[in-house]
């Protein structure tokens, strides 16, 4: 039976080996073409960013449209993100800043978005992510902006208000929290540590199963995992990547209150993304403190048929009960309808900052 099985499998395995060789040859041809483009730019002294968000999005969308299966569109995106990353990395490795240490969900989002052929730059805070990109010590940063359970990440919103950086991409990541310890048991645990957002996302589960154990905030879930790796009395809430990175065992898996828990991340940098054909524009607006001001703020979008996918308010911290409004619009700011809506908006509001236009993640 085993011999017959091997005989039937052999031609298919040989075919896979032959196809893999063809794929490898084509990948090397693609990489060489990318290097030639780099040489041409260098010859013309073109000060052009190695990262082209709109071009990368167009390549993946085009291939997804051509795809006939059985590979899924999501798989096409995952594979070609890495192909693009590998080719980009031959010219120059992208320095990507994120909230660390290694094993964080921010790192997972950064690698999923930019590929693994990058130079990771783990940071101790969201503030440091922005600062390193602003001063050029990192090329891009990846920061969480909203969670499907707990809503906006307020520190990110505050940093977006004051930064000179532009939003150049987005990535939505499924968040599965696990309770991690050195032994995989909770017997010695006296403290549960995690980022405050993660503690909130697991509030009901923790209240039901371990109401007696103290909960302490950490700067990130990965930092909590690092502490737990050195202290058997600490359990960390983090992802399985953090468990692998810090040598921890899963005591309880999937402890998030919402099974569909997701976090949306934004990529920020010093470049502006050109239209890709399927874009989103983010902006911050403040209105005068008078009746009807919010209605007037929204009117230009209805007038020019521009869809708004997100509206979030944040106190302006003036002590006058004034607010900033964070918005996401469908379309690129260079598209006529969006451009007209933004021009009309600026006539109605006291403050308007366009954070950037960037390819949508479908």
């Amino acid at each position: 039976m085993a011999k017959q099985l091997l005989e039937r499998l052999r031609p298919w395995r040989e075919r896979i080996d032959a196809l893999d060789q063809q794929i490898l040859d084509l990948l090397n041809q693609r990489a060489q073409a990318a290097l030639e483009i780099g040489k041409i730019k260098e010859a013309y002294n073109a000060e052009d960013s190695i990262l082209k968000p709109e071009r990368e999005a167009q390549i993946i969308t085009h291939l997804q449209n051509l795809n006939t299966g059985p590979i899924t569109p999501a798989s096409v995106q995952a594979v070609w993100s890495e192909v693009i990353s590998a080719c980009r990395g031959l010219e120059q490795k992208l320095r990507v800043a994120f909230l660390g240490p290694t094993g964080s969900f921010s790192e997972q989002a950064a690698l999923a978005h930019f590929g693994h052929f990058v130079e990771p730059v783990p940071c101790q805070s969201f503030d440091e992510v922005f600062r390193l990109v602003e001063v050029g010590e990192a090329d891009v940063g990846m920061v969480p902006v909203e969670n499907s359970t707990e809503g906006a990440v307020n520190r990110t919103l505050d940093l977006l208000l004051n930064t000179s950086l532009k939003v150049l991409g987005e990535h939505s990541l499924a968040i599965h929290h696990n309770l991690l310890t050195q032994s995989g048991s909770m017997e010695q645990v006296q403290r549960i540590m995690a980022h405050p957002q993660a503690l909130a996302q697991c509030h009901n589960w923790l209240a039901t199963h371990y109401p007696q154990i103290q909960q302490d905030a950490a700067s990130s879930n990965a930092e909590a995992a690092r502490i737990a790796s050195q202290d058997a009395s600490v359990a960390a809430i983090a992802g399985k990547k953090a468990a692998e990175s810090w040598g921890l065992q899963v005591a309880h898996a999937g402890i998030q209150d919402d099974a569909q828990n997701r976090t949306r991340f934004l990529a920020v940098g010093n470049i502006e993304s050109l239209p890709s054909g399927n874009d989103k524009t983010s902006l911050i607006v403040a209105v005068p403190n008078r009746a009807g001001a919010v209605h007037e703020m929204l009117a230009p979008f209805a007038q020019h048929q521009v869809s708004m996918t997100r509206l979030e308010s944040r106190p302006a911290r003036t002590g006058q009960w004034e607010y900033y409004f964070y918005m996401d619009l469908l379309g690129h700011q260079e598209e006529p309808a969006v451009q007209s809506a933004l021009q009309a908006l600026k006539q109605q509001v006291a403050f308007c900052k366009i954070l950037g236009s960037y390819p949508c993640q479908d």
Side-chain angles (χ1 to χ4, degrees):
M1 175 70 90
K3 185 177 180 181
Q4 290 177 337
L5 175 62
L6 288 174
E7 287 300 319
R8 294 196 64 181
L9 291 176
R10 182 176 292 112
W12 289 107
R13 286 176 172 170
E14 290 174 352
R15 177 163 172 73
I16 285 175
D17 290 344
L19 289 170
D20 283 343
Q21 181 62 57
Q22 292 178 42
I23 291 169
L24 180 60
D25 290 343
L26 289 171
L27 285 174
N28 279 313
Q29 290 180 44
R30 188 193 193 283
Q32 190 60 51
L35 288 173
E36 293 301 322
I37 290 174
K39 290 178 184 177
I40 293 170
K41 290 179 181 178
E42 186 177 355
Y44 281 84
N45 294 317
E47 294 184 4
D48 206 20
S49 170
I50 192 70
L51 180 67
K52 291 290 185 183
E54 70 285 349
R55 169 65 176 154
E56 295 180 5
Q58 287 168 345
I59 290 170
I60 292 171
T61 299
H62 177 64
L63 291 172
Q64 287 174 322
N65 291 336
L66 291 176
N67 181 41
T68 58
I71 294 238
T72 66
S75 295
V76 170
Q77 180 168 11
V79 169
W80 259 268
S81 291
E82 293 297 338
V83 170
I84 291 169
S85 179
C87 293
R88 191 200 308 123
L90 289 173
E91 291 187 69
Q92 177 186 326
K93 273 198 171 183
L94 202 65
R95 296 167 299 172
V96 184
F98 54 85
L99 181 65
T102 186
S104 68
F105 287 116
S106 292
E107 180 187 33
Q108 290 183 45
L111 295 179
H113 190 77
F114 293 110
H116 285 70
F117 296 88
V118 298
E119 181 182 332
V121 184
C123 300
Q124 295 183 355
S125 66
F126 298 145
D127 298 61
E128 186 180 4
V129 172
F130 276 80
R131 184 185 65 80
L132 291 184
V133 182
E134 286 169 349
V135 301
E137 292 185 23
D139 299 303
V140 292
M142 182 66 79
V143 290
V145 67
E146 61 178 330
N147 174 262
S148 59
T149 303
E150 288 301 306
V153 180
N154 290 328
R155 187 57 191 154
T156 297
L157 297 187
D158 292 342
L159 290 164
L160 287 170
L161 176 64
N162 297 303
T163 188
S164 60
L165 301 180
K166 296 293 184 180
V167 178
L168 51 88
E170 64 175 353
H171 192 89
S172 178
L173 187 70
I175 304 296
H176 301 295
H177 289 305
N178 307 281
L179 208 50
L180 311 177
T181 64
Q182 290 183 10
S183 64
S185 165
M186 293 292 289
E187 287 183 6
Q188 302 180 52
V189 172
Q190 299 174 16
R191 292 190 297 155
I192 295 173
M193 296 190 69
H195 188 275
Q197 279 265 341
L199 290 171
Q201 291 165 25
C202 303
H203 172 78
N204 292 335
W205 191 96
L206 292 173
T208 300
H209 294 85
Y210 295 105
Q212 75 284 5
I213 297 183
Q214 176 182 328
Q215 298 176 23
D216 290 338
S219 59
S220 72
N221 295 335
E223 174 63 12
R226 186 194 67 79
I227 293 170
S229 72
Q230 300 175 354
D231 188 345
S233 70
V234 173
I237 297 175
K240 289 185 177 179
K241 180 68 168 62
E244 296 169 4
S245 298
W246 297 102
L248 297 173
Q249 305 298 316
V250 177
H252 295 281
I255 69 170
Q256 65 279 356
D257 294 332
D258 180 4
Q260 306 302 319
N261 191 27
R262 301 188 71 85
T263 294
R264 178 174 171 244
F265 293 81
L266 294 180
V268 295
N270 286 298
I271 65 172
E272 295 197 39
S273 177
L274 298 174
S276 73
N278 182 27
D279 298 292
K280 189 179 289 185
T281 298
S282 294
L283 60 152
I284 306 174
V285 173
V287 298
N289 190 7
R290 55 179 169 78
V294 174
H295 173 76
E296 293 171 0
M297 174 185 75
L298 299 176
F301 304 124
Q303 179 184 351
H304 295 280
Q305 297 184 323
V306 174
S307 296
M308 183 170 59
T309 61
R310 176 171 173 256
L311 178 63
E312 191 89 36
S313 64
R314 182 89 177 115
R317 298 185 177 182
T318 61
Q320 303 298 317
W321 298 106
E322 296 173 333
Y323 291 85
Y324 288 110
F325 294 92
Y326 292 73
M327 301 180 182
D328 289 339
L329 312 175
L330 287 184
H332 194 282
Q333 60 185 305
E334 293 185 9
E335 294 176 14
V338 178
Q339 195 172 56
S340 297
L342 291 174
Q343 288 175 350
L345 173 70
K346 290 174 182 178
Q347 303 300 315
Q348 303 287 349
V349 300
F351 170 85
C352 180
K353 178 182 181 180
I354 299 174
L355 297 174
S357 297
Y358 48 91
C360 288
Q361 182 192 21
D362 292 329

